Each structure stands twice: as structure tokens, then as C-alpha cells.
């Protein structure tokens, strides 16, 4: 991660306690209440989590709170529940029946408001559609759509019948989509003709057609009509969403599912070339997202809440769909770009709907800083009472800008640390209780035991850097990597014995506050998107001109990290500028545009150790322009480094 951010965070001494007014109304209304809950969770974790789970509806109670065979956990064993029921049906006998569940704005400006009752109807109908296509409990469905309410409807319909959903972010390429369909062995693919983005349309269905050449598990494709662009419909395979829905019954009783029934999988990048399908199950994930949405966002009945993430990532799963709906909240969903038609689109949305809680990413905030204060200044943002960030470390400067220009110096900011794997927020201020420090995610939530340790697992001292680990199982933790429990074990539970290793570096200050320093493995974080260096390398070497490549991240003021690829060409190829462009496009096609390298550097050879391992650290230093100070004694050929420097 950016060295600059870490240094400035190291000197950060400012503390921002919540106002008395905010605290007095908050769900957890001060440090005393917070410490009390934390202590209870520490002393009796099972009782603590069971208490939270029992705030939700269970068709049958569990017989055992936790079955823990490191690293495999089962929560609320024997219990039967349904997250779709808890998100929707549970509210229908209350005044929430006619409350807006999903308040949606399309990029062109069209608006839809779905009440809980209306959402129920759509979800039941769509579950019947899936059933009529032969889908059954235990099957998988891949969802590849833009940000339309139908994406949430499809997820909730899958959850209702026990079909495991696999949402693939609409920015992924056809090839990446194909890999994810194949790995998940999905029988049904749910998509749209296209999606609006920055004034043009993204051709989703075209990518689907390409992906399905070579993905044989898919029997049916359901296409939601969003843009009206001309698309190809394959007879017998493809059907329109609206045609199937026209005759579907609106009765569909939620299945009483096992607490451990797999709710969804979501592919995320790791240290190998192949993305992994992170598996989340029903009861535990539901418990985690419910309580964190309630406490971290301090949801009140009258709040209008907006998370700007895309549902294609875990943030959208947990904090656009499941967490807010479990709490009966009004969740705002926006389809398009933040700068369409002008760079004030977000602020105009906040003003228009009088949004109270706003959750976005540091990379977006840094972009807003660049666009200028005049854009938020044009709008009345006085409805806001709480702000949040997620996805990467936030530099204190951006944090302060956010507080002043968006929060009017009055809103607490929750800097929420978590991962696809953790399912729900792990480290974050509880806004009415824990004073914030700009750049720190502050303290673990009640029930979460985090630590900063060395390679052997020993806690490091105050303000010492180390590995961020989680020491106790928690309900919303991932259960396995789809189809590969060994990889799950190896990846998360082997480097440091007995604990879950996050892949992040961190330090803890004298107040016990966590300062996340970013990934310490071969995973980059580009604009809050997780991209494995190996993934980009595999994409590059799949191009016929490339012999070898090494990919590293370098600090980037806007994106957090940018991607630099060192490439050696196969004999007979010329290192021409046009080839650099071609390789960037090639990576875009293999993964998605968001993974395109910012810079490609051709080189005759890569720095390696005597055992042939690429010395990434040296490349990272080179890419970021810092002088290499680290140990280079294991370098096999010193002239390689000198040459790389010359080539700059
Ligand atoms: C990685 C997880 C969790 C939803 C979005 C990303 C980084 C996430 C923070 C934060 C510092 C953060 C970590 C983590 N990260 N939130 N508040 N402060 N770093 O999910 O794609 O699974 O990525 O994002 O490096 O390991 P993800």
C-alpha cells in the first residue's frame, strides 16, 4: 500500500468522538454500553451470538450454537431458517409492509421504489420462474447483471428456494465470466441485455453469448430487458425475464433451509492465478450482516441508507441487499457512474432522497477531492447523519475532506475493515460509542477477536507492524473455497498456526486501535478491487508474444494502487509501444477493464533468486520509484537489476 499513507497515518493524533446528540440516539449509545457488550461477547461467545441470531426468524431452533473443527465451522447447527424470509416476509405483518425496501435510480434518471410487499411479490414470482425451469435446492445460478432491482430480486429468489447464487460483477469479461460459470457448475444464468454506464450501454448479453461458448453446464439464460439494445436470443436456451414473469404465480413459501445451507459463492482474487469461490452459508451470514448493519450504520426506522458499491462485490451483497433488508431499512441503489451527467451525481441523489447514511469507498472519495469542492457545495447534504468507508485504507487527508465537505463536520465516519471472506464488518467504530481517528478502522466489533502477530503467531508490541489475524470463529465467516477445502485450509489457516490469516498487515496503537496497512501478500487493491498479481500474469503469458511476466502494485494517488507489469517477450517479438497497448487490451479481455495494467515495461530478464523465484520486492521498489534498500544478496544475477534501472 502507499508508503505515504502509512507514514501520515503514523503521525495521526486527531480524535473525533461522536457528538452527544448522536450518541444519545444511537443503538449503542456510549463507551460503557459498548464495553459491556464486548465483555459479554468475550466471556460467552456462543451465548452472545445465539442472542443475536434469535432476534431473527427460525423455522426450527438450533441444537448447537457452534461446531468448531479448526478451520471448519458450523453455526446454529440443526436450525432451519431462510434469509429471504427474514429480509422480506418477516416485515410484512408490520408497518414496514408499505415501507420502501429498495429505492432505485437508473443512470438515465428513471426511478423505482419497491415496498417490502412489492419486493415480496417479485421475489416469489421469480422463485416460481426458477422452479419452472427445473432449478432445485442445492443447484447454482450465476447472476451477471448491472445494478437493477432485478439483481436483488434474483438473489432473494435463489435464497428463498435454496439455490446458491454466484453473482459475477458486470465489469468482468466474457472469459472471466466463463471461468466462474464453469467452476460453479451453474445450471442457470441470469443476465440483462445491457446496463447503463457513463451515458453509454455495457453489452452484457454479448459477453454472455461469448462466455457460453465453452460453458456447458448452463441450460437456460434469463434476460432482463434494461437498455433495449438489439441482442441475440438463442432459441430454446434464452428467455426474457418479463415473458417468464408474466404467468408466474406470486405464491412461493420460503424453504426452511439448514442453517449451513450454502447461500452464495463469490469469486475473489488470491495469490494464485485462479480466483476462488468463497462460500457463505445461511444462518451465520444472516446473523453477521444483520447485527453489523444495525450497529455500525446505526439504522433507524426512518433512515434512508445508501451504499454506493456494486452488488457484484461482497459489499453490495452484505450492505445493499442482505444487511439493510434484514433490518427492514430503505436501501438506495444507483445504477450508473458518479460523474454522469456531471460530477455531482452522488450529491444530487443525496439531496433528492434526503439520504441519512452514506457508505462509499476511499478511492471514490479521493476522486471527489480531485473533482473539486464545488460539486458537493452545490447541494444540500444536511440530511446526512453518518458516513462510512470500505475497501482499502483511507488516508487521513481524504478522511478529513469527507468529514468536512460531505459530513458538514457533524457526521461520524465509520471506517469499516472486512473482506469477502469475513462476510460482514469485523473492525469498525460503533459510531455512537467509539471515537474515530482518521485513517484507523478503530476496534474489532463485539465478538470479533483480532490481533497483530508475527510469523509464529506471537502478538507484536504496541505500534509494531505485523500480520492481522482473527483468533476466534465468527458466524459470517467463509466456510470453504468452493470445491477445494484443502486450498481453504492452506490459504487462510496454515501460515500462522491456529488463527485465520487475513493477508493484511496492520499495527495496533496505544489505545488498541487497528491501523490497516494493506495487503502483504501478492494481491493488489486497485480502486477497492482485489486483483491477484498472478491473475494478471496468467493473462499476460496467455498472449503469444509474452514469454514471462511479473506484475506488481505501485502507490497511486487516486486508485490506492496501480498495476505495473514487467514483461519479457518471446523470441522474435519487438518491444514496440503498439504491443504494450495490445497487451493491456488482452488483459482487459481476459479479466475485465478494471484489471488493465497502468504501465507495461519490457525487459530482457526478470530479477530472480538463485532458486528461480522472481524478486517482486525489487520490482515493487522499481515500479514505485523508491530506491531499493532491502536485501538483494539472494539475487541470482545483479546485472538484471542494473539493467532494469537503466530501462526506466
Ligand atoms: C481487502 C478485502 C470488504 C469489502 C470490500 C473489499 C482491504 C477492506 C478496508 C479498510 C483498510 C481495507 C483489505 C482487505 N480493506 N476494507 N476499511 N481499511 N483496508 O473486499 O475485495 O474481499 O478485499 O480490502 O486489504 O483484506 P475484498
Amino acid at each position: 500500500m502507499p508508503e505515504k499513507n502509512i507514514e501520515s497515518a503514523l503521525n495521526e493524533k486527531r480524535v473525533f468522538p461522536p457528538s452527544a446528540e448522536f450518541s444519545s440516539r444511537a443503538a449503542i449509545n456510549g463507551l460503557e454500553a459498548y464495553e459491556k457488550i464486548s465483555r459479554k461477547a468475550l466471556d460467552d461467545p456462543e451465548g452472545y451470538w445465539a442472542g443475536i441470531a434469535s432476534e431473527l426468524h427460525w423455522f426450527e431452533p438450533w441444537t448447537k450454537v457452534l461446531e468448531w473443527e479448526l478451520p471448519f465451522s458450523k453455526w446454529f447447527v440443526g436450525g432451519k431458517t431462510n434469509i429471504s424470509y427474514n429480509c422480506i416476509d418477516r416485515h410484512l405483518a408490520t408497518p414496514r409492509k408499505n415501507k420502501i425496501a429498495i429505492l432505485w435510480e437508473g443512470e438515465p434518471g428513471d426511478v423505482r421504489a419497491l415496498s417490502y410487499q412489492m419486493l415480496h411479490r417479485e421475489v416469489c414470482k421469480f422463485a416460481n420462474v426458477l422452479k419452472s425451469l427445473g432449478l432445485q435446492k442445492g443447484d447454482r445460478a450465476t447472476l451477471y447483471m448491472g445494478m437493477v432491482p432485478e439483481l436483488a430480486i434474483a438473489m432473494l429468489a435463489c435464497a428463498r428456494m435454496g439455490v446458491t447464487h454466484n453473482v459475477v460483477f458486470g465489469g468482468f469479461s466474457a472469459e472471466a465470466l466463463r471461468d466462474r460459470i464453469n467452476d460453479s457448475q451453474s445450471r442457470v444464468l441470469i443476465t440483462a441485455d445491457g446496463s447503463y454506464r457513463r451515458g453509454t450501454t455495457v453489452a452484457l448479453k454479448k459477453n454472455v453469448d461469448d462466455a457460453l461458448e465453452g460453458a456447458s453446464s448452463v441450460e437456460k439464460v434469463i434476460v432482463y430487458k434494461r437498455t433495449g439494445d438489439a441482442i441475440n436470443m438463442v432459441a430454446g436456451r434464452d428467455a426474457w425475464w418479463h415473458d417468464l414473469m408474466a404467468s408466474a404465480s406470486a405464491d412461493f413459501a420460503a424453504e426452511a433451509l439448514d442453517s449451513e445451507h450454502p447461500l452464495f459463492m463469490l469469486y475473489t482474487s488470491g495469490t494464485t492465478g485462479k480466483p476462488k469461490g468463497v462460500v457463505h452459508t445461511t444462518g451465520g451470514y444472516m446473523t453477521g450482516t444483520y447485527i453489523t448493519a444495525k450497529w455500525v450504520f446505526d439504522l433507524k426506522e426512518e433512515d434512508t441508507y445508501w451504499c454506493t458499491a456494486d452488488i457484484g462485490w461482497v459489499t453490495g451483497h452484505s450492505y445493499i441487499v442482505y444487511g439493510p433488508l434484514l433490518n427492514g431499512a430503505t436501501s438506495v441503489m444507483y445504477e450508473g457512474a458518479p460523474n454522469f451527467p456531471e460530477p455531482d451525481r452522488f450529491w444530487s441523489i443525496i439531496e433528492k432522497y434526503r439520504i441519512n447514511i452514506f457508505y462509499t469507498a476511499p478511492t471514490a472519495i479521493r476522486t471527489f477531492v480531485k473533482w473539486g469542492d464545488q460539486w458537493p457545495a452545490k447541494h444540500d447534504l444536511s440530511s446526512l447523519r453518518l458516513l462510512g468507508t470500505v475497501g482499502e485504507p483511507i488516508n487521513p487527508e481524504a478522511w478529513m475532506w469527507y468529514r468536512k465537505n460531505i459530513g458538514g463536520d457533524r457526521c461520524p465516519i465509520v471506517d469499516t475493515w472486512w473482506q469477502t471472506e469475513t462476510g460482514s464488518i469485523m473492525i469498525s467504530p460503533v459510531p455512537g460509542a467509539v471515537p474515530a481517528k482518521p485513517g484507523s478502522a478503530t476496534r474489532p466489533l463485539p465478538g470479533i477477536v483480532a490481533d497483530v502477530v508475527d510469523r509464529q503467531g506471537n502478538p507484536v508490541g504496541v505500534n509494531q507492524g505485523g500480520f492481522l489475524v482473527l483468533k476466534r470463529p465468527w458466524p459470517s465467516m467463509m466456510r470453504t473455497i468452493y470445491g477445494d477445502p484443502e486450498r481453504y485450509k492452506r490459504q487462510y489457516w496454515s501460515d500462522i498456526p491456529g488463527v485465520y490469516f487475513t493477508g493484511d498487515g496492520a499495527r495496533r496503537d496505544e489505545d488498541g486501535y487497528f491501523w490497516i496497512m494493506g495487503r502483504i501478500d501478492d494481491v493488489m487493491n486497485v480502486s477497492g478491487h482485489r486483483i491477484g498479481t498472478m491473475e494478471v500474469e496468467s493473462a499476460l503469458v496467455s498472449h503469444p508474444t509474452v514469454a514471462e511476466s511479473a506484475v506488481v502494485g505501485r502507490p497511486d494517488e487516486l486508485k490506492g494502487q496501480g498495476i505495473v507489469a514487467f514483461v519479457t517477450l518471446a523470441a522474435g517479438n519487438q518491444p514496440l509501444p503498439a504491443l504494450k497497448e495490445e497487451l493491456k487490451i488482452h488483459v482487459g479481455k481476459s479479466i475485465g477493464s478494471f484489471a488493465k495494467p497502468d504501465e507495461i515495461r519490457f525487459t530482457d530478464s526478470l530479477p530472480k533468486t538463485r532458486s528461480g523465484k522472481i524478486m517482486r520486492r525489487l520490482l515493487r521498489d522499481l515500479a514505485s520509484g523508491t530506491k531499493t534498500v532491502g536485501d538483494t544478496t539472494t539475487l541470482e544475477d545483479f546485472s538484471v537489476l542494473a539493467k532494469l534501472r537503466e530501462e526506466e
Side-chain angles (χ1 to χ4, degrees), residues 268 314-315 389-393 415-421 441 502 504 516 518-519 525 528 530:
T268 192
V314 76
T315 307
T389 73
V390 61
E392 48 177 322
D415 175 351
T416 62
W417 178 89
W418 58 296
Q419 307 178 298
T420 305
E421 292 87 339
T502 63
D504 282 342
I516 314 295
R519 306 289 310 193
N525 189 330
R530 208 159 123 180

Side-chain angles (χ1 to χ4, degrees), residues 548 606-615 634 636:
E548 196 176 23
L606 295 165
K608 293 187 182 167
T609 62
R610 263 157 252 149
S611 59
K613 218 174 151 214
I614 294 172
M615 293 186 72
T634 52
E636 189 242 356

Side-chain angles (χ1 to χ4, degrees), residues 445-460:
L445 293 175
I448 304 304
V449 183
D451 206 349
V452 181
V453 301
D454 62 19
R455 278 213 177 277
Q456 286 69 46
N458 304 311
V460 300

Side-chain angles (χ1 to χ4, degrees), residues 566-568 580 599-606 622 639-648:
F566 293 86
V567 170
T568 61
K580 290 189 180 178
E599 191 188 341
I600 291 194
R601 289 205 201 172
F602 292 126
T603 175
D604 288 340
S605 39
L606 295 165
L622 272 171
S639 69
V640 172
L641 191 59
K643 235 165 145 200
L644 275 165
R645 285 204 177 114
E646 274 168 31
E647 282 157 3
E648 272 178 62

